[in-house]
Structure formats: structure tokens, C-alpha cells
Amino acid sequence: MAEKIIMLALSPTMETGTIVKWHKKEGDDISSGDILCEVETDKATMDYESTTEGTLLKITSAAGSQVKVGEMIGIAGKPSEDISGLLKQAEPIVRKTETQKKVAGNEPVSDKLQNITPSEKEHAPYGVRASPLARQLALESGIDIQSIKGSGPGGRIIKQDVERVTAQGGQPETFTKEQFQQKIPLSDKRRIIAQRMTQSMISAPHFYLTIAVRMDYLVNSRNSLNSSIKSKITFNAFFIKLVAEALRKNPIVNSSWAEDFIIRHSSIDIGLAVAQKDGLITPVVRDCANKGIVAIDSELHDLVQRGREGRLSLQEYTEATFTISNLGSYGVRQFTAIINPPASAILAIGEIFDELSFSADGGYQKHHSMLMTLSCDHRVIDGAIAAQFAGDLKNMMENPITVLY
């Protein structure tokens, strides 16, 4: 008997998915475990595996369609089986990815851009689009074309618009600021980020601790290590390892709120916030307390690279017990970060900067310094516990040798 193939939730926060590519075509035999298509979720592009056996009789959601969890994407059954009843139940999928959305004049965005001449493309970002004839007439009339309101498709300025302004004596037309505003539709990823961060701020009472760290010893240790091995170890690998050791000493910080109880995690799994072109993702290095810096760096390098490409599996970017957000490479000296559930804390790391201090002989000496801000969920972590964790982490960063005993 023919049955629906529905969009499954491929991540805990997934509400809709965009079908990127079908790997099977209508008429192909399918078995349980076969990859039917690729689906872009709110975090990554993932393989959709078949849970049924038979023949793919109909694809009801083509590549590019945005489909809600639970909606039909195809029909499977036996060859020549009557599927007319199921087809009647299928609602046409009209949600499209942004590159497929329509604009004024019912013309796809991509087609409109192809139809703009080079001179028009130059002005397109500022909302000024005009036909070559309209530009020529405006030039001959001494009228600033940016002062003309277009009546053509998509607000394009045409000959009649220039003639209208000319008939008015060339006086510039008035515009509202809304005419120059760009409305950017929300992607699934941006919508989920907004929902999760809002939920975190509302449900978790945040408080913050900022500590200043002398980074000379850590900078010198990293330089020494990098000079003795082939690869270049990142500061993030050092931060992850030292944070893991501080969490080992302060296990309550490595915990989660669960309404009726607190979960104290047995494994220290640290996520690192990584920017993507349309949001962010948090690759997770598992069991960090039992890994060395070189091993952490190697694993982190692979996770970050695949994270930026949207190729992480669900298990590789969820359920971090602690998170680090490092904006130091952007020149940010200090900031606060929103806790990434289910963790109860997140560490915001700023840039390493030079700072002068008094020396013992009354002179000055230069130091490498860094500011870190710890965001905590007060339901789980009290101020004194957070301060103890921050103090232990500061001591480990300033004297990494203390980690050995």
C-alpha cells in the first residue's frame, strides 16, 4: 500500500527544512537507510534517510522547496499503484528559498538581476534602477535620476517617469525613508537563533563576572609549542583545555537546569561558537578533560572547517555542557554572551592586548593581557561558585604549570 514520505525533524530545533537536492528520482527503488535527498536545516545540510521500502512513486516537494516538519515530500509504494488519493492530500508547497522568491512583476530575483544592464547594476544597491532611455532623458534634462520615483516593474524608472518630472519643472520628488529600506526575509537558521537566544535570556536569569588575565606565560608557552611541532596550535585549543581543567575542579559549573533537578554532567563537552555566513553554529569537542591540547586542536580544526561548510552531524553541534565565544580576532576587547542551552554558563573571550604596569624598580613593563566575561545561569550557579571557577581559570591561564598538579 502506498504511503507518504514526510519531512522528519533532523535536529531538535528544526521546524522547517529546505530540500537542497534529490538523490533518488521517481521510479527508483528505495530501501530503508537509502539517502533520498539532502535537507538544509536551521544548522546544517543533512542527508534524509529512507525509513520505508518500495518504489519512489512521486516527489511532491521538488528541490528548493521549504517544507514544514510532518508535511509530505514524496510517496512510496508498489509500481503502478494508484496514488491519486494521497496526491489529493498533498498541499502544494509554495514556500521557497530566498533565491527563488518572487518580486514585483512576478519575475524571479535572479532573472531580474540578469536583465539589468551594467549601468543599472551600479545603482541597484541604492534602490535606483532605470532604463537606458530614462537615464539619457534625465541627463539631457539636467534632472538627478535619484530624485525620480519609478513606476516600472520593481520600481524601475522608465521614460514616462522622467517626462512626468520634466513637466513639473524638474522639481525633485519627495520620498519616504521606507522606499530606501531593504527588508531581508528571515532564514530558518536566523529564526531559530532568535527563538533560542530569546528563550535563554527569558528563562535563565543571567549574571556576569569579568576577569583580567595576564597572558604572557600562555603566549610564550604557545609560541614554544608551535616552534617544536609542524602545525600551529590555536589559542582556542589552549582555552578549551584550561576551561576543561577549571570545570573539573568546579563541577557545578558543568551542569544543566532541568526544572525539577540539576544535571551534573559526567563528561566535559565544550562548544566553540563559530560564525557562518547566515548565523552561527557551535561545534562541540567531547570529553575535553581527558584530551591533550594537540588532540583538541586537531579535532577542533576539523569541526570548525566542516561547521563553516554546514557539514556537521547533529551530534557534533548539540548538547555542549559549556560554551566559549571568542571575538578577540575581531578586535573586540570585552563583551557578554548569551548562555547556549543546555549549558549553564558561557565564557566570552576578548582580544589579547598590550598593557603597561609598574615594575619593582619603579619603572614600567609591558604585559599581554586579556579580559574574559563569564555569563552564568543563577538557577544553577551562585556568585561565589562562579567567582571560584573564574579565579581557578585565571590562575591556570597565568600559570599553566599548575594544571599538572
Side-chain angles (χ1 to χ4, degrees):
M1 182 177 178
E3 59 181 297
K4 300 178 185 177
I5 302 173
I6 64 170
M7 176 63 75
L8 302 176
L10 302 180
S11 75
T13 57
M14 177 178 165
E15 295 180 355
T16 62
T18 300
I19 297 178
V20 178
K21 176 183 178 182
W22 278 92
H23 287 273
K24 296 288 187 178
K25 61 182 184 294
E26 293 180 2
D28 284 354
D29 292 332
I30 56 175
S31 301
S32 180
D34 285 354
I35 297 176
L36 296 183
C37 58
E38 295 176 18
V39 176
E40 182 181 4
T41 71
D42 54 305
K43 290 293 185 182
T45 299
M46 307 179 72
D47 291 334
Y48 182 107
E49 296 185 0
S50 173
T51 58
T52 188
E53 309 246 346
T55 300
L56 181 58
L57 300 177
K58 185 68 177 179
I59 293 174
T60 58
S61 299
S65 299
Q66 192 179 75
V67 188
K68 290 183 179 180
V69 172
E71 287 184 337
M72 186 190 308
I73 63 172
I75 300 174
K78 297 179 180 179
S80 303
E81 193 170 358
D82 181 17
I83 59 172
S84 57
L86 290 176
L87 286 175
K88 289 180 181 179
Q89 300 176 30
E91 297 181 3
I93 304 298
V94 296
R95 294 176 297 276
K96 299 291 183 179
T97 58
E98 298 313 317
T99 54
Q100 294 175 307
K101 287 193 174 182
K102 304 290 185 178
V103 295
N106 295 321
E107 190 178 351
V109 172
S110 58
D111 293 344
K112 273 191 169 291
L113 292 178
Q114 291 174 359
N115 292 336
I116 301 174
T117 64
S119 59
E120 290 177 283
K121 289 180 180 178
E122 179 181 351
H123 293 282
Y126 304 96
V128 178
R129 297 181 53 215
S131 68
L133 179 56
R135 291 181 184 278
Q136 183 62 34
L137 288 175
L139 181 64
E140 292 174 352
S141 303
I143 299 173
D144 182 2
I145 199 165
Q146 296 188 57
S147 69
I148 302 175
K149 182 179 179 181
S151 61
R156 193 175 191 227
I157 300 170
I158 57 178
K159 173 188 174 184
Q160 289 85 342
D161 299 323
V162 181
E163 292 175 340
R164 181 184 69 249
V165 175
T166 303
Q168 296 171 355
Q171 294 298 318
E173 298 181 308
T174 57
F175 296 93
T176 62
K177 66 178 182 179
E178 285 76 13
Q179 290 178 266
F180 295 97
Q181 291 177 340
Q182 182 183 11
K183 294 183 179 180
I184 303 173
L186 289 177
S187 65
D188 289 342
K189 184 178 297 182
R190 178 53 57 190
R191 181 177 284 105
I192 293 299
I193 289 172
Q195 291 173 352
R196 285 175 59 81
M197 293 299 97
T198 301
Q199 181 183 8
S200 177
M201 283 298 293
I202 292 174
S203 63
H206 286 53
F207 73 93
Y208 311 94
L209 298 179
T210 299
I211 54 175
V213 182
R214 288 279 178 86
M215 293 292 290
D216 300 288
Y217 200 116
L218 192 59
V219 169
N220 293 334
S221 297
R222 176 175 175 266
N223 291 339
S224 177
L225 179 59
N226 284 341
S227 65
S228 63
I229 59 177
K230 294 181 180 180
S231 59
K232 183 179 180 181
I233 306 299
T234 64
F235 275 113
N236 284 327
F238 280 84
F239 296 151
I240 288 175
K241 178 59 180 176
L242 293 173
V243 166
E245 293 301 326
L247 289 172
R248 196 205 296 264
K249 292 187 65 175
N250 301 270
I252 191 63
V253 182
N254 194 52
S255 303
S256 298
W257 177 260
E259 297 302 334
D260 296 326
F261 50 87
I262 292 173
I263 301 172
R264 185 170 296 183
H265 301 287
S266 58
S267 176
I268 296 175
D269 304 328
I270 299 179
L272 179 70
V274 173
Q276 295 178 311
K277 62 181 181 180
D278 56 347
L280 58 86
I281 197 167
T282 309
V284 182
V285 180
R286 307 286 177 185
D287 197 21
C288 298
N290 294 317
K291 293 176 180 176
I293 291 174
V294 175
I296 289 174
D297 185 78
S298 177
E299 186 174 342
L300 185 64
H301 177 78
D302 174 62
L303 288 169
V304 169
Q305 181 175 344
R306 290 190 292 114
R308 285 175 175 155
E309 296 170 354
R311 296 189 295 111
L312 291 178
S313 67
L314 177 64
Q315 293 75 21
E316 292 175 318
Y317 66 84
T318 57
E319 302 300 317
T321 62
F322 189 94
T323 306
I324 294 174
S325 180
N326 185 354
L327 293 180
S329 62
Y330 295 92
V332 175
R333 185 159 295 192
Q334 181 186 358
F335 67 105
T336 58
I338 300 174
I339 297 169
N340 183 31
S344 294
I346 183 171
L347 186 68
I349 297 178
E351 67 171 341
I352 298 173
F353 59 94
D354 292 335
E355 187 175 43
L356 292 178
S357 64
F358 287 107
S359 59
D361 59 4
Y364 294 94
Q365 59 186 39
K366 186 173 70 172
H367 293 285
H368 295 299
S369 297
M370 186 176 74
L371 296 175
M372 301 189 301
T373 300
L374 181 69
S375 304
C376 300
D377 182 346
H378 217 324
R379 297 174 301 178
V380 179
I381 305 169
D382 293 329
I385 293 173
Q388 182 64 53
F389 168 82
D392 288 340
L393 179 58
K394 171 183 171 71
N395 186 47
M396 290 176 183
M397 286 190 169
E398 294 181 341
N399 304 283
I401 192 68
T402 58
V403 176
L404 301 177
Y405 61 87

